[in-house]
Amino acid sequence: QVQLVESGGGLVQAGGSLRLSCAATGSIFSRINLMGWYRQAPGKQRELVATTIRDTGMTNIADSVKGRFTISRDNAKNTVTVYLQMNSLKPEDTAVYYCNAREGGGSLVWGTSYWGQGTQVTVSS
C-alpha cells in the first residue's frame, strides 16, 4: 500500500506562486514509478496537470500550465516526494489538486492508482 500526504495549497492572488508537495510512504513506495498531479475544479472533470516517471525522468505537462508549472521529484531512503511549483497563477487554476502515484518500471506504469486527499488552491483575480 501507498499513503500520499499533500501540503502547500492555499489562497493566492493572480500572478502569484505556490508550491505543492506530496510525500509517498508505505510498504510498496519503492515500486512507485509514476507520480503526478491532477486537479478538479467545481463542475468539471478531474484533469491531468503534470506527471513524472522515475525510471526515465520523463515529464508530462498539460498545455494549460506549460511554462508556468514545474514538476520535480525527490527520492529518499524511506519516502519519495513530488513537488509542483506553480508560478504566474491564474484564476482558472483554482481547483482541488490531487497527488497521484502508480507502480511501474521503465516507461510503463501498472497496478493500483493511489490518490492523495486533495489540497485546495484558490487564485483570486
Side-chain angles (χ1 to χ4, degrees), residues 2-75:
V2 173
Q3 293 79 44
L4 302 175
V5 179
E6 302 154 343
S7 60
L11 173 64
V12 65
Q13 289 188 329
S17 298
L18 284 174
R19 189 175 82 153
L20 305 183
S21 301
C22 173
T25 59
S27 59
I28 62 168
F29 90 94
S30 61
R31 303 206 298 261
I32 293 298
N33 196 21
L34 178 144
M35 289 194 73
W37 293 92
Y38 288 71
R39 68 185 182 186
Q40 188 166 18
K44 295 188 177 181
Q45 289 188 329
R46 190 172 296 188
E47 63 177 2
L48 179 146
V49 177
T51 59
T52 179
I53 300 290
R54 177 196 63 199
D55 286 356
T56 65
M58 291 182 63
T59 61
N60 182 25
I61 310 289
D63 288 342
S64 59
V65 304
K66 200 167 291 184
R68 300 187 296 120
F69 291 11
T70 303
I71 188 168
S72 60
R73 179 172 177 152
D74 180 26
N75 297 308

